[in-house]
Amino acid sequence: MGIAADISADWRAALAALAWQVEAGADEACGDVPVNRYELAVEATKVAAPAREQAVPDAAHATPAGDPVAVARAAAAAATTLDDLREAMAAFDLCELKRGARNTVFSDGNPAARVLVLGEAPGREEDLEGRPFVGRAGQLLDQMFAAIGLSRTSPDAETALYITNVMPWRPPGNRDPDAAEIAMMRPFVERHISLTDPEVIVVMGNTPLEALTGTRGILRARGTWTEALGKPMLPMTHPAYLLRNPAAKREAWADLLSLQARLRG
Ligand code: URA
């Protein structure tokens, strides 16, 4: 009886702890044994102190090797093909988000497409599959562009889409990448756009808007063509936002028609 009561109490406590973790954004089990990361941080400082070159980057992303943005810029500049760029991004170790990700999510679609769609960052499905926009928001994105005759699977540049994200690694709990993370990935985004050389860029959400213009406020910016990296750029609301706010689909439809008109020239 006593044992049964204990088991039941343990079970309830474990369930409550699990619910709390899910609430805090944890959505995957990555180990059977809990790790006290505060203790690890102290140990890492002790070990790393004499050999500063090996030190783990701190919260502000400073590294002994130098400025992460400068490192990213050099790596991106050295890439002369998309395969090079994919490799350079997969080898870039100065973004903390990489540590928690299963895959470096590079791109999907046809690199010859007239339209490049720039999203924010992979979610759970994208991280597992290694392709951008394959979850619910991605399905909506496909439907939206299909409505104006564009598809990531089209072999014809005229009707194709090329899709990538500012951040190739899934942030924990699907939080937005912060300003420092966006800044260090921007050289890769710039290189990605110069290598694919699309005719127009569609930015979906605040993260790509910030990466290309330095400002946020997608709800104000959406629908107004502007220029980024010497190319026409159309800001649109993110499909995940449209899933949460179906009434905003009306404006998104207007934006898609504006894109279609632009492509018809
Ligand atoms: N949201 C994004 O911005 N990109 C993805 O790849 C998936 C969801």
Side-chain angles (χ1 to χ4, degrees):
M1 182 70 181
I3 291 172
D6 283 345
I7 289 173
S8 151
D10 284 357
W11 180 83
R12 279 172 213 285
L15 189 63
L18 187 63
W20 179 81
Q21 288 183 27
V22 169
E23 186 73 15
D27 51 10
E28 272 170 61
C30 52
D32 293 335
V33 181
V35 177
N36 184 339
R37 302 209 178 266
Y38 292 103
E39 276 171 14
L40 281 186
V42 172
E43 287 306 307
T45 323
K46 280 189 214 148
V47 174
R52 280 186 55 81
E53 284 69 21
Q54 301 302 318
V56 175
D58 68 17
H61 313 290
T63 72
D67 170 14
V69 177
V71 175
R73 208 177 284 131
T80 56
T81 65
L82 287 176
D83 282 343
D84 286 352
L85 187 66
R86 182 196 295 268
E87 275 173 32
M89 287 170 70
F92 183 72
D93 278 335
L94 302 182
C95 181
E96 287 287 312
L97 297 183
K98 185 179 178 188
R99 295 166 187 249
R102 290 177 193 229
N103 273 302
T104 299
V105 177
F106 184 68
S107 73
D108 198 18
N110 183 342
R114 295 175 73 192
V115 179
L116 180 143
V117 174
L118 185 60
E120 301 191 323
R124 183 170 186 277
E125 284 85 359
E126 290 79 14
D127 182 42
L128 288 173
E129 210 175 296
R131 283 196 304 135
F133 282 106
V134 292
R136 272 185 77 216
Q139 286 159 22
L140 178 57
L141 179 145
D142 285 340
Q143 288 165 7
M144 288 164 65
F145 285 94
I148 56 164
L150 301 179
S151 153
R152 66 170 102 187
T153 56
S154 172
D156 176 4
E158 279 296 310
T159 53
L161 274 186
Y162 185 72
I163 303 175
T164 186
N165 285 314
V166 171
M167 177 54 65
W169 300 294
R170 181 193 182 194
N174 294 341
R175 70 161 169 81
D176 284 349
D178 67 27
E181 290 159 350
I182 293 173
M184 77 175 79
M185 298 319 291
R186 187 186 145 100
F188 293 112
V189 173
E190 283 182 18
R191 193 76 186 127
H192 211 147
I193 291 171
S194 82
L195 287 171
T196 45
D197 195 22
E199 223 168 285
V200 302
I201 304 168
V202 175
V203 296
M204 297 198 107
N206 267 317
T207 298
L209 184 68
E210 180 174 346
L212 294 195
T213 68
T215 59
R216 295 174 77 86
I218 192 67
L219 295 181
R220 250 174 296 116
R222 63 136 285 277
T224 303
W225 285 90
T226 171
E227 220 185 74
L229 307 174
K231 298 192 177 288
M233 181 189 93
L234 178 65
M236 287 185 63
T237 44
H238 193 282
Y241 175 81
L242 298 176
L243 287 172
R244 292 192 304 272
N245 302 277
K249 286 183 181 171
R250 212 178 133 102
E251 291 169 344
W253 177 237
D255 299 344
L256 288 167
L257 292 178
S258 164
L259 173 63
Q260 186 178 48
R262 182 101 190 191
L263 293 172
R264 286 182 174 163

